[in-house]
Amino acid sequence: MSARPDTLGETRLWLAQRFSAAVLAICVVIHLGGMIMTVQAGLTAAEIIGRVGGHAGWFAFYVVFVLAAAIHAPIGLRTVLSEMMAIPKHHAGLLALVFGLFQAALGLKAVWGFYRLGGGA
Amino acid sequence: MSTGSLSVSVWRGSKKGRFADYDVPRRDRQTVLDVVTHIQRYIDPSLSYRFACRVGVCGSCAMTVNGRARWTCRTHVNQVAADGRLRIEPLRSLRVIKDLSVDMTDFFDKWAKAKGAFEPTATRTNDLAAIQPGDFKRRQASAGIECIGCGVCYASCDVVQWNSDYLGPAALNRAWTLINDVRDGGSRERLAAVAGDAGCHACHSQQGCVESCPKHLNPTASIAGLKRAVAWAALKGTL
């Protein structure tokens, strides 16, 4: 007997959430570390944009951060919706997908804007 | 020796019903099951409840006592009713047949769905399997093997309440013990059976089962083991 397609799908979603959680853990540490350092150094917004904006490495880092968040959060939201509200799982999945796409779009727009502010692209 | 009295509220009815109040003589070393038995034998013979061994082996006397699922035969009144009051209800998440008796069909059907039956790989003509007690897999199996099937963990699990298809801590714990039994040959099917949102992936690791298990088992750790095993099987394409 092999797993039913929906069971396999659930397992893949669980794996995606765990992998994205591992990525997020690293990203959050780097992001918070960076914020603490800039605050301690007394940098202005313009100075931060000058150092980080337009930098391909930081751009790639924040793209990964946004995508990991956009994968991780909707999977959890789907579970919360299906457990706490009387809606079918596939409807919860659809709502979570829309939320994830919205989250990714907003996040990527912000990252792209920051990159351009610093002179990138 | 009687030492005062207990004020006891007991659920009467099925899904719909009410609490009935009884005064029961308090005695030394009295268990909650003793209290229920006193009511049934001396006050109201129509009270329905279930028990068998009275010594914590059969797992049939579990009830909700002052809001928490417990095995009543090993729960002393002193532990749970310091103020002399007891509120006794049937287990949560199971259909109430009458009064304190619940229908355990769903609970045990889920053991079957989780492939909780041993699948032998040897016959009576084979030699006995030589398994060292200190073997890693044997120790993992042994950690969960003492389950008595009382349903206390099932009734204490919030996920069971939210998701009626969820197999529950006891069935998943059973599956984990078999997966770690080197004599068993059904692990591949078992992993497929316990994966998904009715299986191990539904567990939120809140550990209500661990907190309430009268045998001090850790079903949450067993379920975490299943999650790891299912993940590896999915990555290897064997799920």
Side-chain angles (χ1 to χ4, degrees):
Chain A
M1 184 180 105
S2 57
R4 298 191 317 272
D6 58 332
T7 302
L8 204 55
E10 292 291 338
T11 304
R12 285 178 180 148
L13 282 177
W14 184 84
L15 277 169
Q17 200 184 28
R18 289 305 180 276
F19 281 131
S20 58
V23 173
L24 280 174
I26 298 166
C27 290
V28 167
V29 168
I30 294 172
H31 178 70
L32 287 179
M35 282 177 64
I36 291 166
M37 282 169 64
T38 52
V39 169
Q40 292 297 321
L43 295 180
T44 63
E47 285 169 329
I48 295 168
I49 291 168
R51 293 185 187 195
V52 183
H55 189 285
W58 281 112
F59 175 74
F61 169 76
Y62 277 105
V63 166
V64 170
F65 197 164
V66 165
L67 292 180
I71 291 169
H72 186 83
I75 298 172
L77 181 66
R78 172 177 173 266
T79 304
V80 172
L81 285 173
S82 61
E83 283 180 354
M84 295 297 156
M85 302 177 75
I87 54 174
K89 193 95 185 183
H90 61 278
H91 287 172
L94 203 62
L95 283 171
L97 179 67
V98 170
F99 174 78
L101 290 173
F102 185 62
Q103 189 184 356
L106 284 183
L108 291 175
K109 185 171 182 283
V111 173
W112 177 246
F114 194 75
Y115 181 65
R116 290 192 67 188
L117 268 179
Chain B
M1 185 184 79
S2 184
T3 53
S5 71
L6 286 164
S7 177
V8 187
S9 291
V10 179
W11 179 256
R12 302 303 307 270
S14 53
K15 188 175 182 182
K16 287 185 178 173
R18 61 180 180 80
F19 283 95
D21 296 324
Y22 304 96
D23 283 322
V24 176
R26 190 161 187 172
R27 301 182 193 284
D28 287 341
R29 295 182 294 278
Q30 186 179 26
T31 66
V32 175
L33 183 62
D34 292 335
V35 171
V36 176
T37 300
H38 179 92
I39 295 169
Q40 201 262 353
R41 292 195 180 166
Y42 299 107
I43 304 175
D44 187 347
S46 68
L47 177 65
S48 298
Y49 67 110
R50 190 185 287 127
F51 76 98
C53 74
R54 298 180 297 167
V55 289
V57 175
C58 71
S60 59
C61 69
M63 300 169 200
T64 305
V65 182
N66 285 355
R68 184 177 159 169
R70 295 178 182 275
W71 54 352
T72 56
C73 69
R74 298 288 296 272
T75 301
H76 282 251
V77 170
N78 287 342
Q79 292 172 271
V80 292
D83 62 352
R85 292 179 180 278
L86 278 175
R87 188 178 175 93
I88 307 174
E89 304 163 67
L91 288 178
R92 280 198 320 170
S93 301
L94 292 161
R95 189 180 68 82
V96 181
I97 300 171
K98 180 175 174 287
D99 303 337
L100 303 172
S101 298
V102 291
D103 184 352
M104 301 288 282
T105 305
D106 276 354
F107 176 72
F108 287 114
D109 279 353
K110 287 177 177 179
W111 284 51
K113 283 183 188 167
K115 304 281 177 195
F118 178 67
E119 296 287 342
T121 51
T123 68
R124 67 184 64 189
T125 59
N126 295 103
D127 289 335
L128 290 173
I131 302 167
Q132 294 298 322
D135 175 75
F136 179 68
K137 291 192 83 170
R138 184 63 243 169
R139 280 191 282 122
Q140 295 205 82
S142 296
I145 207 74
E146 296 291 344
C147 175
I148 57 173
C150 61
V152 165
C153 61
Y154 189 84
S156 305
C157 177
D158 287 333
V159 181
V160 171
Q161 277 216 314
W162 300 328
N163 177 359
S164 59
D165 292 331
Y166 178 49
L167 295 172
L172 293 170
N173 178 71
R174 170 67 180 165
W176 178 240
T177 62
L178 289 172
I179 280 167
N180 283 288
D181 190 332
V182 294
R183 303 165 304 163
D184 180 273
S187 284
R188 188 167 174 166
E189 292 79 5
R190 195 168 292 115
L191 282 180
V194 300
D197 66 346
C200 60
H201 294 125
C203 173
H204 290 281
S205 306
Q206 290 172 316
Q207 305 187 58
C209 53
V210 182
E211 179 70 18
S212 64
C213 177
K215 299 290 288 182
H216 304 296
L217 304 184
N218 189 341
T220 306
S222 298
I223 295 168
L226 286 177
K227 287 176 181 173
R228 288 193 301 273
V230 167
W232 280 116
L235 290 171
K236 287 192 285 188
T238 57
L239 188 63

